[in-house]
Amino acid sequence: MKLLTVSVAAYNVEKYLENTLNSLMVDNILAKSLEVIIVDDGSKDRTREIALRYCSLFPDTFKLISKNNGGYGSTINASLLVATGKYYKQLDGDDWFNNNNLKNFLVFLENTSADLIISPYTKCFESGEKETIDDCIYINDSSIHPISVLNQGNCIAMHELTIKTELLKKSGFHMTENCFYTDNEYTFFSLLEAKKFAKFGQEIYCYRLGLEGQSVSIGGANKHYKDTIRVAFSLYKKYTYCHNNEIEALLRKYLLAITNSVYTYHLVCNSDGAKNELACFDKALRHNYHEIYKLSNKIKKIRILRLSKFCLFSLIKKKVSSEWI
């Protein structure tokens, strides 16, 4: 058994993939602990060719899955089927790991029994802005804690998570395919399965921001805003049937965040039908998940939209769009 499986989602990333895979190169001893599964999600460029080169040079570490395009969630579904690592971590094909810290991280994983490992990540901007470090859990020790401790912190990003592979496999974990914003699913579902966690204090994931067409860009919002609804209902359903009282407060933060995203993305997109689509979502939310509907009244723009029966949609749209980063 390998110690860590890294699932690399690779779609048309020939410009970045070598840097991504080079960041996963460790010395021969540690290489025996690392499994890298590159999932080529139907790329049209040289992504597969580059991946095959690494698989040929380092067959004990790198593996390739080539498949038809199915979106980010499908790459995780595919790699999880064959993952052999004790722990599992995802990586976008245009991002990378901090190589120096990765070595320490593998040693850390070898000596912990936690279900979930949380580590800070670095935001790296294409515009040349100074890198920033996100660290959502303010714990300075590396001991194992009950998952309930996470109720005290902020929402955890997917880039911070490493989880026991067995937990995902036994749970029947399956991400929504052909859909954007599924990172929320991955994080939410992982938290539901974990009972104990540990903090690794060094940054592992380096997240590239500012690429054209990213889901968090205005262009991405225009193309994929409807996907926020698919992901939201996926989380609502999972929450309804799989309550975890140990982290109830944290789960509600995620539900509030994804609900906020639905309204925000519909407000900033340029679709003529966004207003009616959002009103229909709001009605369905009230009818099917009234607890979450009431919870989301805490958000000012949502509350105003409801009180005005969406008549103030255009006015709020201008304000939200002007604040979009």
Side-chain angles (χ1 to χ4, degrees):
M1 175 187 282
K2 295 280 188 173
L3 184 59
L4 175 66
T5 294
V6 179
S7 175
V8 179
Y11 176 69
N12 289 348
V13 287
E14 64 176 4
K15 182 179 177 181
Y16 308 101
L17 189 58
E18 287 187 359
N19 178 68
T20 301
L21 301 182
N22 285 340
S23 76
L24 301 173
M25 301 289 288
V26 290
D27 61 53
N28 291 333
I29 294 176
L30 290 176
K32 296 177 181 179
S33 303
L34 185 64
E35 173 182 65
V36 180
I37 303 176
I38 310 160
V39 185
D40 173 25
D41 194 32
S43 298
K44 305 300 182 184
D45 62 2
R46 294 176 54 250
T47 292
R48 185 173 185 274
E49 176 187 333
I50 295 169
L52 281 172
R53 175 155 40 92
Y54 281 80
C55 293
S56 176
L57 290 171
F58 311 100
D60 292 335
T61 300
F62 293 93
K63 300 176 182 178
L64 173 65
I65 296 176
S66 294
K67 55 182 283 301
N68 293 331
N69 184 259
Y72 191 83
S74 74
T75 68
I76 290 180
N77 293 336
S79 65
L80 195 58
L81 287 174
V82 298
T84 64
K86 177 184 177 183
Y87 288 97
Y88 181 92
K89 190 169 183 64
Q90 58 77 37
L91 175 62
D92 277 6
D94 51 10
D95 295 333
W96 67 98
F97 281 178
N98 183 312
N99 184 261
N100 291 328
N101 293 344
L102 176 59
K103 298 172 184 179
N104 296 331
F105 187 55
L106 289 170
V107 174
F108 181 90
L109 293 180
E110 191 171 14
N111 293 286
T112 187
S113 61
D115 298 329
L116 191 71
I117 313 299
I118 299 173
S119 54
Y121 71 102
T122 306
K123 288 182 177 178
C124 306
F125 301 93
E126 288 290 284
S127 61
E129 291 179 56
K130 184 179 179 181
E131 294 180 356
T132 60
I133 296 174
D134 267 21
D135 189 356
C136 294
I137 304 300
Y138 305 114
I139 292 176
N140 295 320
D141 65 80
S142 59
S143 58
I144 295 176
H145 301 271
I147 200 72
S148 58
V149 172
L150 296 180
N151 283 314
Q152 304 168 16
N154 299 318
C155 289
I156 302 161
M158 179 168 70
H159 318 300
E160 296 176 272
L161 290 182
T162 304
I163 187 168
K164 276 187 175 177
T165 308
E166 182 182 19
L167 289 179
L168 293 181
K169 289 191 174 189
K170 284 187 174 181
S171 71
F173 174 81
H174 187 85
M175 287 180 65
T176 303
E177 302 192 358
N178 296 298
C179 183
F180 277 61
Y181 313 114
T182 49
D183 56 310
N184 297 285
E185 277 189 328
Y186 181 82
T187 306
F188 194 84
F189 293 1
S190 296
L191 289 168
L192 281 172
E193 298 303 323
K195 299 298 183 185
K196 53 186 180 178
F197 79 96
K199 171 78 175 288
F200 178 74
Q202 299 175 331
E203 308 87 59
I204 298 298
Y205 200 109
C206 299
Y207 178 32
R208 190 191 303 271
L209 284 164
L211 295 179
E212 184 179 352
Q214 278 186 305
S215 60
V216 293
S217 67
I218 188 63
N222 282 325
K223 291 181 181 178
H224 308 293
Y225 70 95
K226 293 182 181 180
D227 285 345
T228 58
I229 292 180
R230 293 181 63 192
V231 174
F233 279 125
S234 173
L235 266 59
Y236 299 158
K237 183 178 180 180
K238 192 74 172 179
Y239 175 77
T240 301
Y241 290 103
C242 302
H243 262 191
N244 184 341
N245 293 329
E246 293 183 65
I247 52 169
E248 184 73 16
L250 181 61
L251 295 179
R252 289 167 73 88
K253 290 176 187 176
Y254 276 98
L255 295 173
L256 196 60
I258 189 62
T259 305
N260 183 47
S261 294
V262 173
Y263 290 85
T264 299
Y265 276 71
H266 279 73
L267 285 162
V268 301
C269 77
N270 295 324
S271 171
D272 292 335
K275 176 182 175 180
N276 289 335
E277 291 163 359
L278 187 56
C280 289
F281 166 80
D282 191 74
K283 182 178 180 179
L285 179 59
R286 182 178 184 178
H287 178 74
N288 296 305
Y289 301 99
H290 193 66
E291 177 188 356
I292 302 167
Y293 178 88
K294 289 173 60 180
L295 179 67
S296 59
N297 265 324
K298 294 180 179 179
I299 302 173
K300 184 177 179 180
K301 65 175 176 284
I302 296 177
R303 188 169 65 252
I304 293 174
L305 282 171
R306 289 169 178 168
L307 289 172
S308 70
K309 297 183 179 179
F310 285 81
C311 290
L312 295 180
F313 182 89
S314 296
L315 182 64
I316 298 175
K317 177 182 178 66
K318 289 181 181 180
K319 177 175 174 56
V320 174
S321 296
S322 67
E323 296 171 349
W324 182 267
I325 299 177

